[in-house]
Amino acid sequence: MSDKILVTKSSMPSIEEYIEEIKPLWDSHWLTNMGVKHKKLEKELKNYLMVRNISLMVNGHMALELAIQAMKLRGEVITTPFTFASTTHAIIRNGLKPVFCDINPKDFTLDVNKIESLITKDTTAIIPVHVYGNICKVEEIECLAEKYGLKVIYDAAHAFGVKYKGRGIGDFGDATMFSFHATKVFNTIEGGAVCFSDKNYGTQLYRLKNFGIRNEDVVDAIGANAKMNEFQAAMGICNLRHIENEIAKRKKIVGRYKENLSRMEGISFSKEQEHVTSNYAYMPILINEDIFGVNRNNVYEQLKNHGIYARKYFYPLTNTFSCFKNKFETRQTPTAIAVSEQVLTLPLYADLKLEKVDEICSFILKMKK
Ligand SMILES: *Cc1c(COP(=O)(O)O)cnc(C)c1O
């Protein structure tokens, strides 16, 4: 294959469109601190995501940390090891103890049948992840949270624009974090947001992202700095104009992948979930070595040597990171272990040509032993 194909490629508006959007900043000289662009994007995202409340942040990770802080969580939090470093780091950096629950093999989100046995008197929250844009069992999680008086904060970094039964996915739980990182379905270069049900969290989040400053004379929270700046917001305003088209293109590409790969023994992928409007964020496949004859790492290497950069996403599991050496029991989540050893995320972005998808698939097919 001639050109390299990376796992993703950031969506960008035309340079003319972006310049038009940022031009007023040269008149106002107002570059950050909740300016005009910030306010406009916040309003537009609230509509698009169909959420009751939203607070923009400098990135998804800080959004998650500040959501945790706004709820003043303590003790233990039930979460998944099958996620990006950010989720687990946010929990630990805030002095909480992560308790790792296994995932289900269908959509790779928390196995709701295994949550209850992990709840102790110290548990204060559940932090599940909507993996690859597959949504968690939100209704079952809500029942458990109510029964045991737990908070729920979703990591929806993969689930921008996903709807469940006609409701925005960010409207479930006490809070939901979105990431608008360059590699995500929707980006503000770097960026993120917290959506939340109780509007009192709004005041708290606003202070936490701006040093705890209430007004010129009063600083009444030990806040961080997590403000989204005007250039980020302007990028978001532009990208949001094209999001429907981007998702439609992704849908076609995912369809093409599935068409090609469904004929391949030893390769599987998750079905579309019922009542879910997907965002087609990722194209993960599972490679079963016993049937396919070649293991995931080998497929990854062969693709790479051919200029196709897939990702072992998520591998390794977060609870096995070397920064946590000997800190956690790592054998309690057998499904997460198995999936992380078999999963490979194939290239996917709106402008990926269908012919390239065919090439990638036939190349994988040829590897079969
Ligand atoms: C990208 C990502 C994050 C972190 O978001 P940033 O905007 O990069 O800080 C958190 N969790 C998951 C699952 C992610 O994929």
Side-chain angles (χ1 to χ4, degrees), residues 120-150:
T120 72
K121 63 175 183 8
D122 295 325
T123 311
T124 55
I126 308 175
I127 302 191
V129 181
H130 298 303
V131 183
Y132 307 128
N134 293 337
I135 65 157
C136 302
K137 299 244 169 353
V138 287
E139 284 135 349
E140 285 87 338
I141 290 173
E142 191 176 312
C143 279
L144 283 171
E146 256 174 39
K147 185 171 168 192
Y148 292 95
L150 307 176

Side-chain angles (χ1 to χ4, degrees), residues 235-288:
M235 190 67 153
I237 291 166
C238 294
N239 279 334
L240 196 58
R241 288 188 193 113
H242 307 287
I243 191 72
E244 288 299 323
N245 189 32
E246 295 270 311
I247 292 176
K249 286 186 186 168
R250 284 173 172 275
K251 181 177 180 172
K252 267 198 189 144
I253 297 163
V254 167
R256 187 69 154 244
Y257 265 124
K258 290 189 171 176
E259 209 181 298
N260 282 321
L261 295 169
S262 59
R263 289 181 238 119
M264 245 180 269
E265 268 179 90
I267 293 200
S268 58
F269 41 81
S270 37
K271 284 209 201 79
E272 284 207 29
Q273 294 176 304
E274 268 183 63
H275 311 297
V276 173
T277 312
S278 176
N279 64 356
Y280 306 95
Y282 296 87
M283 183 61 223
I285 58 169
L286 295 185
I287 300 163
N288 182 332

